[in-house]
């Protein structure tokens, strides 16, 4: 899920203004084999593609009509909050991890039926995104993580014939790209602005750091986090990364023309490079996040939730089961290239045979999900600000994170 506006933190206040209470379900529920209409909201590109899957589903379930409403990510949060306030949530909704804490706190989500869905079938980080305080509210639909994309041809020109596996090797390669292969930059990482933290996660988690720990305590000023931000900032201090990147910057073009030889990207970049930069086919590869203590990347993606007040919970559960079992996940990958959350879907076909995709799978095995906290977007905004201070040379990593720590402590109390 990509967040285009930081609105999640105001959701609870808005909803309370509408008078939401955790009233729960009326108790009525239509049996799954009865004739009924299931309402589903899905976001972004997934919303457009899900309607086709719904038609296939209806053929094998003639008593079910699946009404899919595509919702843009730019308005998704607003629409969900308004629906929650009005008591008009759809039976099934797609929900990113950054929303889960907020909407579970509002009391509008039905806990997952763990007799139907087994967490062992999914990547741990995918399942964790749908959990709040030990209760699962979302079933993982697809997952996302970041890996390192690098130009193999330019690396060879710089005298390096393998992917970097740790921080030193990555910075050595970035330096060699500039000095020996003539690239403008060594590594593209975001210097400031919205969601800078998403680039920083690979450094933070690999160093053993966190923003908020399992106890709900702010720990962004830990020695591990300070070490990670020092390393991140060093790319800008040494001129290996660009201090000024325009909003909406797309790294794909500069990767194709060689100005940028390395960046952290998601699975969609494979398609963008294959289709948009055919001149570098065979001249790039992906690798797992270079390690400090270990190789750990962020976990993203989306889950499917059932409304607490839905009168079609049984049918909604069956539809979600269809979308998240191994067969449904493999089909969804073919339609969208979204990475399956169900690990069994990776054992055959293109997912098993594609070397690039297997790098993503290995990264998902250790990927870390952000905590499901209602104020998570406010919390990460403070980290974004700290990172910007360091990349722009306005504060040390230690001082910037000390400030962020004091700000975040007030948000997690």
């Amino acid at each position: 899920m990509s967040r285009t506006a930081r609105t999640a933190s105001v959701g609870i206040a808005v909803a309370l203004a509408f008078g939401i209470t955790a009233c729960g379900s009326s108790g009525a529920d239509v049996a799954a084999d009865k004739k009924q209409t299931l309402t589903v909201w899905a976001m972004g590109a997934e919303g457009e593609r899900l309607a086709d899957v719904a038609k296939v589903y209806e053929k094998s379930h003639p008593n079910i009509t699946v009404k899919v409403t595509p919702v843009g990510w730019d308005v998704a949060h607003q629409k969900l909050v308004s629906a929650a306030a009005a008591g008009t949530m759809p039976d099934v909704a797609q929900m990113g991890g950054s929303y889960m804490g907020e909407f579970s706190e509002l009391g509008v989500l039905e806990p997952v039926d763990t007799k139907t869905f087994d967490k062992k079938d999914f990547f741990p980080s995918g399942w964790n995104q749908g959990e709040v305080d030990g209760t699962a509210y979302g079933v993982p639909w697809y997952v996302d993580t970041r890996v390192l994309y690098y130009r193999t041809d330019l690396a060879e020109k710089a005298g390096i014939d393998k992917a970097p596996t740790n921080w030193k090797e990555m910075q050595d390669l970035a330096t060699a790209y500039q000095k020996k292969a003539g690239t403008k930059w060594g590594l593209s990482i975001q210097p400031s602005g919205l969601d800078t933290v998403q680039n920083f996660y690979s450094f933070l988690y690999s160093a053993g750091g966190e923003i908020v720990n399992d106890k709900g305590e702010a720990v962004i000023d830990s020695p591990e986090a300070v070490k990670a931000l020092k390393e991140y900032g060093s790319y800008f201090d040494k001129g290996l990364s660009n201090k000024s990147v325009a909003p909406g910057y797309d790294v794909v073009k500069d990767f194709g023309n060689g100005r940028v030889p390395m960046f952290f990207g998601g699975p969609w970049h494979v398609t963008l490079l294959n289709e948009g930069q055919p001149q570098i086919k065979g001249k790039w590869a992906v690798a797992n996040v270079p390690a400090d203590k270990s190789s750990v990347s962020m976990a993203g993606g989306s889950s499917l939730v059932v409304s607490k007040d839905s009168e079609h919970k049984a049918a909604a559960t069956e539809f979600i089961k269809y979308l998240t079992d191994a067969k449904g996940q493999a089909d969804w990958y073919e339609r969208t290239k979204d990475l399956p959350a169900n690990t069994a879907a990776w054992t055959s076909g293109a997912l098993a045979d594609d070397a690039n995709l297997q790098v993503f799978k290995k990264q998902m095995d250790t990927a870390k999900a952000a905590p499901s906290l209602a104020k998570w977007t406010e919390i990460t905004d403070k980290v974004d600000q700290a990172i910007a201070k360091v990349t722009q040379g306005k504060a040390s990593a230690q001082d910037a994170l000390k400030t962020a720590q004091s700000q975040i402590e007030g948000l997690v109390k």
Side-chain angles (χ1 to χ4, degrees):
M1 186 193 80
S2 61
R3 289 180 284 138
T4 56
R6 288 188 177 272
T7 54
S9 60
V10 302
I12 292 176
V14 172
L16 289 176
F18 277 97
I20 282 184
T21 59
C23 56
S25 171
S26 63
D29 190 27
V30 179
D33 60 354
K34 299 297 183 182
K35 189 172 181 64
Q36 59 196 289
T37 296
L38 201 59
T39 56
V40 182
W41 287 6
M43 319 311 179
E46 284 76 23
E48 301 295 336
R49 302 290 179 85
L50 186 57
D52 293 334
V53 178
K55 291 177 182 177
V56 176
Y57 184 79
E58 289 172 344
K59 290 179 180 179
S60 58
H61 298 76
N63 62 305
I64 303 292
T65 298
V66 182
K67 183 180 179 182
V68 178
T69 300
V71 179
W73 275 118
D74 56 337
V75 297
H77 181 266
Q78 178 185 343
K79 285 182 69 69
L80 284 166
V81 168
S82 297
T88 56
M89 286 280 288
D91 298 306
V92 177
Q94 176 185 357
M95 190 165 285
S98 61
Y99 292 178
M100 202 66 68
E102 177 184 2
F103 284 90
S104 66
E105 190 168 316
L106 288 173
V108 296
L109 303 181
E110 179 74 7
V112 169
D113 178 0
T114 53
K115 292 181 180 179
T116 301
F117 302 99
D118 190 338
K119 66 184 298 183
K120 292 184 293 185
D121 293 337
F122 302 92
F123 286 110
S125 56
W127 184 269
N128 291 343
Q129 288 182 78
E131 276 194 348
V132 182
D133 296 331
T135 298
Y137 291 96
V139 180
W141 188 17
Y142 64 86
V143 293
D144 173 29
T145 192
R146 303 292 185 271
V147 298
L148 184 71
Y149 285 73
Y150 73 106
R151 286 285 298 266
T152 53
D153 59 334
L154 297 176
E156 289 174 6
K157 186 176 180 180
I160 297 174
D161 60 2
K162 65 174 185 175
T165 61
N166 57 48
W167 283 3
K168 182 182 185 304
E169 290 178 358
M170 180 165 65
Q171 191 155 129
D172 286 348
L173 178 55
T175 303
Y177 274 135
Q178 276 190 328
K179 292 184 176 180
K180 298 180 180 180
T183 64
K184 175 66 176 177
W185 307 107
L187 171 70
S188 177
I189 46 178
Q190 194 169 334
S192 60
L194 178 66
D195 286 337
T196 302
V197 68
Q198 292 200 8
N199 268 192
F200 180 55
Y201 280 138
S202 296
F203 291 79
L204 177 66
Y205 292 156
S206 292
E210 296 178 286
I211 299 174
V212 177
N213 65 19
D214 293 340
K215 298 178 181 179
E217 301 165 334
V219 290
I220 192 58
D221 65 345
S222 69
E224 293 83 2
V226 171
K227 181 182 181 182
L229 188 49
K230 283 182 178 177
E231 181 69 17
Y232 194 93
S234 71
Y235 282 87
F236 299 91
D237 293 341
K238 296 176 181 180
L240 295 169
S241 296
N242 190 353
K243 288 186 177 182
S244 178
V245 176
Y249 169 71
D250 182 5
V251 73
V252 170
K253 182 178 179 180
D254 279 349
F255 190 72
N257 63 32
R259 283 171 56 87
V260 168
M262 280 196 297
F263 69 97
F264 291 102
W268 63 90
H269 283 109
V270 173
T271 301
L272 291 176
L273 289 170
N274 286 337
E275 295 180 356
Q277 304 295 324
Q279 76 280 6
I280 59 169
K281 182 179 181 181
K283 299 179 180 180
W284 61 272
V286 295
N288 291 118
V289 167
D292 179 40
K293 288 184 177 179
S294 57
S295 171
V296 185
S297 188
M298 63 166 282
S302 280
S303 299
L304 295 169
V305 301
V306 176
S307 168
K308 186 88 170 175
D309 289 325
S310 170
E311 296 182 351
H312 308 279
K313 294 187 181 70
T317 297
E318 285 198 2
F319 184 57
I320 293 174
K321 182 69 174 177
Y322 176 84
L323 295 176
T324 60
D325 66 16
K327 183 178 179 181
Q329 292 268 278
D331 175 68
W332 187 244
Y333 170 76
E334 290 300 322
R335 294 173 184 272
T336 65
K337 302 309 178 187
D338 287 340
L339 299 182
N342 190 316
T343 57
W346 291 80
T347 59
S348 62
L351 287 157
D353 298 336
D354 190 304
N356 285 334
L357 291 174
Q358 286 299 308
V359 171
F360 280 96
K361 181 181 184 299
K362 183 179 179 181
Q363 197 70 68
M364 277 304 307
D365 288 335
T366 61
K368 186 175 179 63
S372 296
L373 299 176
K375 294 184 178 180
W376 188 246
T377 52
E378 285 186 72
I379 290 168
T380 55
D381 180 64
K382 306 308 180 187
V383 182
D384 286 345
Q385 293 174 31
I387 297 168
K389 290 176 185 176
V390 173
T391 63
Q392 303 307 306
K394 295 180 179 179
S396 67
Q398 188 168 8
D399 288 345
L401 292 180
K402 183 178 179 181
T403 299
Q405 173 74 12
S406 64
Q407 294 170 330
I408 294 170
E409 283 175 344
L411 296 171
V412 297
K413 289 181 179 179

